[in-house]
Amino acid sequence: MKVIFVVAALVAVALAAPQGADKDATILRNDLENIGVDGYNWGYETSNGIKAEEQATLNNAGTENESISVRGSFSYLGADGVTYTVNYIADENGFQPEGAHIPKN
Protein backbone atom coordinates (compact mmCIF):
# COMPACT_ATOMS: atom_id res chain seq x y z
CA MET A 1 0.00 0.00 0.00
CA LYS A 2 2.94 2.34 0.72
CA VAL A 3 4.15 1.87 -2.82
CA ILE A 4 0.77 2.95 -4.19
CA PHE A 5 0.92 6.25 -2.31
CA VAL A 6 4.50 6.93 -3.35
CA VAL A 7 3.77 6.13 -6.99
CA ALA A 8 0.58 8.21 -6.90
CA ALA A 9 2.48 11.18 -5.52
CA LEU A 10 5.24 10.89 -8.11
CA VAL A 11 2.70 10.57 -10.94
CA ALA A 12 0.86 13.62 -9.61
CA VAL A 13 4.07 15.65 -9.62
CA ALA A 14 4.97 14.46 -13.11
CA LEU A 15 1.52 15.31 -14.47
CA ALA A 16 1.43 18.65 -12.67
CA ALA A 17 4.71 19.84 -14.14
CA PRO A 18 4.30 22.21 -17.07
CA GLN A 19 4.94 20.77 -20.50
CA GLY A 20 8.39 21.58 -21.84
CA ALA A 21 9.84 21.89 -18.34
CA ASP A 22 13.51 22.74 -18.12
CA LYS A 23 15.31 19.64 -19.40
CA ASP A 24 18.57 20.83 -17.84
CA ALA A 25 17.15 20.93 -14.31
CA THR A 26 19.36 19.54 -11.59
CA ILE A 27 18.51 17.87 -8.32
CA LEU A 28 19.10 20.25 -5.41
CA ARG A 29 17.89 17.94 -2.65
CA ASN A 30 16.93 14.26 -2.48
CA ASP A 31 16.12 12.75 0.92
CA LEU A 32 14.82 9.27 1.63
CA GLU A 33 14.30 7.83 5.06
CA ASN A 34 12.74 4.39 5.07
CA ILE A 35 12.07 3.79 8.72
CA GLY A 36 10.95 0.19 8.20
CA VAL A 37 7.47 -1.12 8.68
CA ASP A 38 6.33 1.88 10.73
CA GLY A 39 6.51 4.49 7.97
CA TYR A 40 8.78 6.54 5.73
CA ASN A 41 9.80 10.09 4.78
CA TRP A 42 11.01 11.37 1.44
CA GLY A 43 11.49 14.68 -0.30
CA TYR A 44 13.21 16.26 -3.26
CA GLU A 45 13.72 19.62 -4.91
CA THR A 46 14.95 20.49 -8.38
CA SER A 47 16.46 23.63 -9.88
CA ASN A 48 13.38 24.28 -12.04
CA GLY A 49 11.10 24.82 -9.05
CA ILE A 50 9.66 21.34 -8.56
CA LYS A 51 9.50 20.25 -4.93
CA ALA A 52 7.80 17.33 -3.18
CA GLU A 53 7.73 15.86 0.32
CA GLU A 54 5.83 13.01 1.94
CA GLN A 55 5.66 11.38 5.37
CA ALA A 56 3.80 8.19 6.25
CA THR A 57 2.98 6.43 9.50
CA LEU A 58 1.50 3.04 10.22
CA ASN A 59 -1.59 3.11 12.42
CA ASN A 60 -2.94 0.24 14.51
CA ALA A 61 -0.06 -2.07 13.56
CA GLY A 62 -0.89 -5.76 13.70
CA THR A 63 -4.63 -5.28 14.09
CA GLU A 64 -7.60 -5.65 11.76
CA ASN A 65 -7.68 -1.85 11.57
CA GLU A 66 -4.07 -1.49 10.40
CA SER A 67 -3.74 1.41 7.99
CA ILE A 68 -1.22 3.90 6.73
CA SER A 69 -1.61 7.67 6.91
CA VAL A 70 0.28 9.82 4.44
CA ARG A 71 0.81 13.57 4.48
CA GLY A 72 2.63 15.39 1.77
CA SER A 73 2.92 18.24 -0.66
CA PHE A 74 4.23 19.02 -4.10
CA SER A 75 4.77 22.27 -5.93
CA TYR A 76 5.89 23.42 -9.34
CA LEU A 77 6.32 26.63 -11.30
CA GLY A 78 3.53 26.96 -13.86
CA ALA A 79 3.92 28.32 -17.38
CA ASP A 80 2.20 31.48 -16.10
CA GLY A 81 5.04 32.07 -13.62
CA VAL A 82 2.91 31.12 -10.61
CA THR A 83 4.11 28.49 -8.14
CA TYR A 84 1.33 25.94 -7.60
CA THR A 85 1.31 23.94 -4.38
CA VAL A 86 -0.82 20.96 -3.41
CA ASN A 87 -0.92 19.70 0.17
CA TYR A 88 -2.54 16.34 0.69
CA ILE A 89 -3.52 13.65 3.13
CA ALA A 90 -4.09 10.06 2.04
CA ASP A 91 -5.55 7.68 4.61
CA GLU A 92 -8.57 5.47 5.23
CA ASN A 93 -10.70 8.42 4.03
CA GLY A 94 -8.99 8.51 0.61
CA PHE A 95 -6.81 11.08 -1.13
CA GLN A 96 -7.61 14.60 0.09
CA PRO A 97 -5.76 17.34 -1.82
CA GLU A 98 -5.86 21.06 -1.01
CA GLY A 99 -4.45 23.97 -2.94
CA ALA A 100 -5.32 27.60 -3.68
CA HIS A 101 -5.95 26.64 -7.33
CA ILE A 102 -8.11 23.58 -6.55
CA PRO A 103 -11.87 24.26 -6.42
CA LYS A 104 -13.53 23.54 -3.09
CA ASN A 105 -16.75 21.52 -2.95
Side-chain angles (χ1 to χ4, degrees):
M1 191 142 136
K2 292 179 198 178
V3 173
I4 292 171
F5 288 120
V6 172
V7 171
L10 292 175
V11 168
V13 170
L15 292 175
Q19 298 298 317
D22 184 3
K23 295 182 193 290
D24 295 323
T26 58
I27 297 170
L28 302 176
R29 180 178 65 87
N30 184 21
D31 302 319
L32 176 60
E33 181 184 348
N34 183 353
I35 54 179
V37 296
D38 294 333
Y40 61 87
N41 296 306
W42 60 260
Y44 64 86
E45 187 173 356
T46 62
S47 62
N48 62 348
I50 296 172
K51 183 164 113 173
E53 296 182 354
E54 186 172 286
Q55 304 82 37
T57 56
L58 183 63
N59 304 315
N60 305 311
T63 71
E64 278 186 26
N65 298 323
E66 184 175 282
S67 65
I68 190 166
S69 296
V70 177
R71 291 184 177 274
S73 66
F74 62 89
S75 60
Y76 63 94
L77 184 62
D80 55 2
V82 174
T83 297
Y84 293 92
T85 300
V86 175
N87 297 303
Y88 60 88
I89 297 173
D91 57 18
E92 65 274 0
N93 298 312
F95 181 71
Q96 304 155 58
E98 292 182 347
H101 62 289
I102 298 174
K104 296 187 184 336
N105 290 337

